[in-house]
């Protein structure tokens, strides 16, 4: 069996190997993903984002645990899923998008240790995606990993971004449902408002709701949401959930909100629209990488460096050099 | 006088107009920046980044105030600067990179209100850069705005990123000196370690150092830094400064650290290396935008959409369509 066949058969190690191939953008990874492509498009993908320190990892952990222990959980997948991913409840994959931290690995390791109680369960798959090389690469690799998990038959894929910057927002917004997590008392303001996160939220969660300031945070978020309408979808009322991931409170409500949002998307014909948006983003990201790669191989030795030199000694400017280099395609 | 000449003459409104042109990527903006290019390369650029809620805006405000009130501040610029930017101390420009927040503008406005005590001073220029359209665009526009401010004669340009995601890190790391700000008590861990920020730090600041947990944060950062060496420059000891932007404590030390870092870069020949790195990033960002733009204009009407359709109905996969589309260049 080749790698794609192994993944379809439910081989977890093969799946992990494939994702590493996708991270490194190898020919083996590309071939396997092409073979798996017809098997994609069934999973529900939920992005989980928000400022640092709000407890996203713990929350994602609790959502996964909840789904595994609720056999009647009604997320409709439309058809029977592949072998190997069945279990009591829905099967869940977690993709944690972590910037590389060569200093420690500590904090990230910490998150994964919190996940330990899930790791013996074959219906759960946990994977961290690291920044390898340049920005666009992480979004591309994350998107491809989600497709691989989708083909492997997971019902729900949770994409958790560790930071809350523009690229993390871009990664989260390619999900079907976007969960934005906030916590009380992170500085003076509602940080999610600052970070431009509210506009992409389908579901808002105030985590650490047992801490002081939770009521104010909920009120402030409701106020920011004005009439509770989503900016992306005016027919959807964005719910503001209160949760405490550490005590497990409010997790069932979040899961229900995701299910309600998926049902809404399907009923409103929005699922297809979001899926199209995801594909457009995937093609754009790949195309951008491909065009730069092609140009770099076509440039004569030292041509790029010579352009840099001319800009540095101020005999030319970046735009003029870019015009010249782009002619080479 | 054309726009570039007005900017060189110290016209602040012309400078603001130019930056708007650069944000919108207009021909007027491109022409003006090309004309200004020979006048760039003199400012010192410091990036200020860190997790949300650590008080970066207030800190940047205090650094600017301090520089304006210290006439003997020794940042060497090598030559006399343009008219219109002189004052008591060094002239300072602040570029705040804000993701668009269509919900409020409130938090961002709040930051700017805190800056009000600076805005009457002609030696200070404050500008927010918003995300207009796609990711790469913000990095490109921010880089170009910094060049415009450089040509306008500002001694120090502080580039403050509101979020702390991968793209913000990319924007901050194109500075000569990178200041990473942390605060005590933002969740369980040192957030900067999580966000991959420590590897790019030249100077670390624990802000809100009058709050509980500041000593622990300083110790944790020192521990993460191991022997205090910079990951980018093994000859530089990364200082860990304690500050309270609200009370003004520790600001002088941060300014001294920036000056020491600039002197170190100059002495070690690293200033030229960082400048080269910045130019390489600028050319890459522009090239990537240019290549996508050229391809899109060359594609026949509906060709991109047809590719999306084939991927959506699973008769093709993204890589295959990207191969096909890239042939059109």
């Amino acid at each position: 069996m080749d790698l794609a066949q192994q993944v379809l058969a439910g081989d977890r190690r093969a799946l992990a190997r494939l994702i590493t191939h996708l991270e490194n953008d190898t020919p083996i990874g590309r071939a396997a993903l092409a073979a798996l492509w017809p098997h994609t498009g069934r999973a529900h993908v939920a992005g989980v984002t928000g400022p640092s320190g709000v407890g996203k990892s713990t929350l994602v952990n609790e959502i996964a645990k909840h789904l595994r222990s609720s056999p009647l959980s009604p997320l409709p997948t439309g058809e029977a899923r592949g072998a190997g991913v069945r279990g009591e409840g829905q099967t869940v994959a977690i993709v944690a998008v972590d910037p590389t931290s060569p200093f420690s690995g500590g904090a990230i390791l910490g998150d994964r240790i919190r996940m330990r109680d899930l790791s013996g369960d074959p219906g759960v798959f946990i994977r961290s995606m690291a920044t390898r090389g340049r920005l666009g690469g992480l979004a591309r690799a994350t998107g491809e990993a989600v497709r691989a998990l989708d083909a492997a038959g997971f019902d729900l894929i949770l994409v958790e971004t560790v930071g809350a910057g523009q690229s993390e927002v871009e990664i989260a917004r390619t999900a079907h449902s976007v969960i934005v997590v906030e916590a009380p008392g992170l500085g003076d303001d509602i940080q999610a408002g600052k970070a431009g996160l509210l506009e992409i939220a389908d579901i808002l969660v105030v985590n650490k709701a047992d801490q002081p300031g939770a009521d104010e945070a909920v009120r402030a978020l409701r106020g920011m949401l004005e009439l509770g309408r989503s900016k992306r979808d005016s027919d959807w009322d964005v719910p503001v959930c209160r949760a405490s991931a550490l005590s497990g409170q409010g997790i069932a409500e979040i899961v229900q909100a995701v299910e309600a949002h998926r049902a809404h998307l399907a009923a409103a014909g929005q699922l297809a629209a979001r899926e199209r948006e995801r594909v457009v983003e995937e093609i754009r990201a790949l195309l951008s990488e491909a065009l730069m790669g092609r140009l770099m191989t076509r440039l004569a030795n030292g041509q790029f460096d010579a352009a840099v030199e001319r800009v540095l000694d101020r005999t030319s400017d970046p735009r003029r050099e870019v015009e010249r280099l782009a002619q080479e395609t």
Side-chain angles (χ1 to χ4, degrees), chain A residues 161 217 227 297 329:
Chain A
T161 60
L227 297 166
T297 58
T329 53

Side-chain angles (χ1 to χ4, degrees), chain A residues 260-290:
Chain A
H261 185 246
R262 182 182 163 107
H264 161 78
L265 288 177
Q270 290 289 313
L271 210 49
R274 295 235 173 162
E275 191 57 28
R276 177 181 305 272
E277 220 178 293
R278 294 181 65 213
V279 166
V280 167
E281 285 303 317
E282 284 174 71
I283 292 180
R284 278 187 168 276
L286 286 169
L287 204 47
S288 173
E289 273 192 84

Side-chain angles (χ1 to χ4, degrees), chain A residues 4-298:
Chain A
Q5 287 168 327
Q6 290 171 331
V7 168
L8 287 174
D11 182 338
R12 288 286 175 279
R13 290 190 187 182
L15 180 57
R17 270 204 315 279
L18 170 57
I19 296 177
T20 302
H21 277 292
L22 296 172
E23 276 185 324
N24 296 326
D25 200 12
T26 68
I28 293 173
R30 294 178 186 206
L33 194 63
L36 290 172
W37 192 258
H39 302 274
T40 62
R42 292 181 295 186
H44 191 70
V45 183
V48 182
T49 189
S52 340
V54 297
K56 290 185 290 290
S57 298
T58 318
L59 194 73
V60 162
N61 191 9
E62 290 305 311
I63 291 172
K65 269 203 237 170
H66 182 89
L67 285 165
R68 294 303 295 153
S69 60
S70 314
L72 296 176
S73 204
L75 261 194
T77 58
E79 48 186 305
R81 312 308 307 265
V85 295
R86 294 176 191 285
E88 280 298 301
Q90 293 180 61
T91 55
V92 186
I94 297 167
V95 181
V97 183
D98 287 339
T100 303
S101 178
F103 270 83
S104 62
I108 290 165
L109 187 62
D111 293 340
R112 297 291 84 84
I113 286 169
R114 282 190 246 153
M115 298 268 185
R116 203 161 42 188
D117 43 343
L118 283 168
S119 68
D121 180 346
V124 175
F125 187 91
I126 300 168
R127 175 70 182 221
S128 289
M129 304 290 293
T131 310
R132 308 235 168 138
R134 301 178 56 74
L135 246 185
L138 182 62
R140 194 238 348 118
T142 302
E144 292 189 337
V146 167
R147 294 303 188 176
L149 292 161
D150 181 357
F154 288 94
D155 296 309
L156 180 69
I157 302 170
L158 293 160
V159 181
E160 169 204 338
T161 60
V162 169
Q166 198 52 32
S167 49
E168 287 74 4
V169 169
E170 292 287 321
I171 288 171
R173 68 168 282 139
T174 61
H176 298 116
S177 302
V178 178
I179 304 170
V180 172
V181 187
E182 182 61 69
L186 280 180
D188 313 333
D189 311 298
I190 293 293
Q191 298 296 330
K194 250 185 160 167
L197 290 172
L198 291 182
E199 66 177 303
I200 62 162
D202 298 307
I203 295 157
L204 284 168
V205 175
V206 175
N207 195 22
K208 306 187 182 179
D210 46 357
Q211 289 187 6
D215 293 337
E216 290 81 350
V218 170
R219 262 200 305 277
L221 286 172
R222 290 222 170 99
M224 283 179 171
L225 286 168
E226 294 155 336
L227 297 166
R229 297 287 168 187
S230 161
K231 285 278 158 178
R232 293 176 77 188
D233 177 357
S234 58
D235 293 328
W236 172 248
D237 281 325
V238 176
V240 182
C241 305
R242 298 171 64 117
S244 169
L246 285 177
S247 73
Q249 278 186 326
I251 302 300
E253 288 72 20
I254 297 170
V255 170
Q256 279 163 17
V258 173
E259 286 164 0
H261 185 246
R262 182 182 163 107
H264 161 78
L265 288 177
Q270 290 289 313
L271 210 49
R274 295 235 173 162
E275 191 57 28
R276 177 181 305 272
E277 220 178 293
R278 294 181 65 213
V279 166
V280 167
E281 285 303 317
E282 284 174 71
I283 292 180
R284 278 187 168 276
L286 286 169
L287 204 47
S288 173
E289 273 192 84
L291 292 176
M292 277 297 271
R294 283 164 75 97
L295 176 62
M296 288 304 171
T297 58
R298 281 184 200 185

